[in-house]
Amino acid sequence: MIQRIFLITLDNNPTGDPSLKSGNGIPQRCVYLEELGSELDGQDWLDMDNVEQAVFTRLLLPEPGNYMICMTSSGAPNLSAERDAGEKHVVPFLFSCFQRAMKEVTKVPENLLPYALRCKTLTVSNARTVLLTPEIYQGQDVPAQVVDLMLEGLRGANFDEVVEFLEEVIEALLADEEVHSFSEVFHPVFDVILERVKDLDLCQMLLYTYLDLLLYCTHQKDIAKVFVAYIQPQDPSNGHQYQKTLLGEILSISCLLRTPGVVENHGYFLNPSRSSQQEIKVQESNIHQFMAQFHEKIYQLLKNLLQLSPDTKHLILSWLGNCLHANAGRAKIWANQVPEIFLQTYASDSFFLNLGAALLRLCQPFCKPKSARLLTFNPTYCALREINEEERRSRNIHMKGLDKETCLIPPADDQQPDFPQNFNLVTENLVLTQYTLHLGFHRLHEQMVKVNQSLHRLQGAWRDAQQSGSPTAENLREQFERLMTIYLCLKAALSEPQTLQNCLLLQVSTALLLVQIALGNRGTEPVSLTFPIPDVQHSALAYVPEFFADNLGDFFIFLRRFADDVLETAAESLEQILDFITVFTGSVERMKNPHLRAKLAEVLEAVMPHLEQTQNPLISSVYHRQRIFCSYRHAPRLAEALIKVFVDIEFTGDPHQFEQKFNYRRPMYPILRYMWGQDTYREAIKKLADYAAENLEAVNPPLFLRFLNLLMNDAVFLLDEAIQYLSKIKVLQIEKDQGEWDGLSADNRREKESNLLMFGQLARFHNIMSNETIGTLAFLTSDIGSLFIQPFLAERIISMLNYFLQHLVGTKMGALKVKDFSEFDFKPQQLVSDICTIYLNLGDEENFCASVPKDGRSYSPILFAQTVRVLKKINKPGNMIVAFTNMAEKIKSLADQQQREEETYADAPDEFLDPIMSTVMSDPVILPSSRVTVERSTIARHLLSDQTDPFNRSPLTMDQIKPNRELKEKILTWLSERKQQNEDNRNKAL
């Protein structure tokens, strides 16, 4: 039995006995322990007195195969028997002995059972000795053998036996830790795994075997404790150090470039221009399959540690909290601008991508629809300041530094957070996950947008170089290839379907949660959203960091750009997003940051149906989005919230607000256009307009009045800027075509090329935005005329429209004829059509038509004649041309009448003239602080954009303005006398 278990013998001549044949239970090959036999005075049999020494002697043999003898009469070669008996590595040998001992235990007679059990125990005790004192066994890499044993077990069918063996060895190690602690024994094992995992790739099957090995380690309570201690970084305050740990190295494996910008030797999407779309899709699909499996393993690993014991739970949560705190700088703008410092200071993008995916899986239990657990989240967690380690453990608080994050609203002066005794895992999981996405997904999304933009520019330059036969074409192609590889890797990494679905559920749940907090709901069941929302004293929104809302916005904008089909799968969940946007977009009381509220408008544009993208006309890819958006129960509030943020973004207090506001308003135009096409939203907008028309002189100007004023401000600025840039582009293009650049120095020529490129980009942006603003005015005026015909708005819109017509159809139009209109998104035909549409929408009102000739800067009868000529040239409908011609004649008639009346106002005293507009005042008012008298309509228009006295910048509102009755009487008397005098002069002339 001892020979069968340990494959050793003290008898060097066993084959002399003819009874010893193969198959009678005698091992075919054994290692002859000659030296031990000598020490035992020639004893040639093994017994329970010498077996322990025999096994130890066998383990010390450097080449046991050199001492192997045949134990049976059959001398035929047996490779399996020779391999088993001659096994050089001590750990696999002892495990094999353990297996054979187990078999003996099941089949030996009862009188031999104690000896079989003792042999089994002997394998375990020797394994314990090997692990505690590996230096005794020369040439043996014991930690590597332990790892290989577990790997072999995972690959084969005997993993249960490996586990049983390890469990008994662990128990033996823990029973006596005098030489080395259990932790010291297992650290070298993890060292081996760490070294091997570093070189593995996402799509290598071996990686998943190692992950299964770690799943066992994190499931075994004693090894798990060692694991969580082992992964602690040397410097907990250095974010990059976490990536150097075993868990960090695993988290750093992905299809992203290992070294940013270095495409060489990368395993994915090489030479993409030579690959078909189908080949790229297949490779992306393969990556996604591996990613899903990879993220599932990491999730199980974290889950094991969280559920195994309070100790491992505390240690892994501490690791996560400290890691995120040390990497907080990833979100700072400077970090992205200095890549060298970034890579040395913080963990990689791959690290955060995988960590985020695993944490998202941990959040899924409370991200199910109507989950009762979701509302157990306690936002005061984010308001906690520094606490000691013991409190962190007892109260479940493992994140640090969140109290320094900007929250959705500032707390009230007398507001103090009501902290619970301890926080639940839902709260910690949600905060950890959202902060991980804030540090990881946000940066990767930004990278992908920039790479996408660079690809478009590079593709255009490459195409131009090919067409012109430029020698730079090949270099541009190589740059394009490299950038395309980076883009495809980013896209594959960010668009793994299961992670996107998990993130979608999380962000929808976050939207629901934040709305419930805004409503002041402190229960575990959601309450219905109704308007008006009651004021909540000491709202818990003061403890919710902005990155909760920012992450939500980031994710849906990403889906719109790169994974639009996922939005359609959201179906009913989109209503929660619309609720969130409605509650927060238009309310500074619930979300103070105007930039963040403006971002929510972009989210609304993302989830809105985009019918032009439907590829199959029979099966609409936006059916669910269209249904949810059009039947949304709070549609009027949503429309009002959108217009509110359009206005608010004008006054952010940011030094760059003027440039930023156009980017923020860009997504608002298509939303307004879509809303205008839906009856519910359209009626809501018209109600806002009606209210504004009825309250033109209210103390606080009505929302829609301010909106129209800003819309016209934008239109004037944007189209004027676009005209200026197009004029500069034309000059540069003419210079280049006429060869004026040929004689320039290389530096000057580069400067000219750079200017042409810059002016082109600026012209394109301003053209796109001006097309949108003029188009918005065109459809708004179709059904909202009462506001536009008010004198202080009518004069502005008329002067704007005439000025643009002068450049688009008049004598100045030649200055805008650049080579390729489409390159700069210049659409003069559409602009002329929209401007004429606005005129026709408002032209039925005589007051409006009478204001047209008063525009002394751009109006002339010939301008409208030129406009009619262009309308015919661009093939506009005949009824439109006839209507515009009739309106032009009507305006000309009114202009002649006004010219005669202007004689009345000639030589008016200066005190009768408005100091801003230099026209005779009909309704003079006195400004309270400067004591200057101005026309009421003039100051009303000024206050729409600036709530100050234009003469001394003091704060000013309409209710502070008093009529100047004395001056008004003087003006009326003077006008009466002048009219009588003019009448007398006409009679005399007759």
Side-chain angles (χ1 to χ4, degrees), residues 277-295:
Q277 282 294 320
Q278 185 60 29
E279 288 171 328
I280 289 173
K281 276 188 177 178
V282 168
Q283 192 169 1
E284 183 179 78
S285 177
N286 287 339
I287 289 170
H288 285 165
Q289 287 179 16
F290 279 105
M291 281 181 73
Q293 187 181 353
F294 184 56
H295 293 154

Side-chain angles (χ1 to χ4, degrees), residues 298-331:
I298 299 170
Y299 153 69
Q300 288 292 347
L301 188 152
L302 294 177
K303 186 179 175 185
N304 284 350
L305 294 171
L306 287 170
Q307 294 182 342
L308 191 60
S309 71
D311 287 338
T312 56
K313 175 185 172 183
H314 169 65
L315 287 170
I316 192 61
L317 287 175
S318 295
W319 189 91
L320 290 168
N322 292 335
C323 172
L324 295 180
H325 183 57
N327 281 282
R330 280 177 57 91

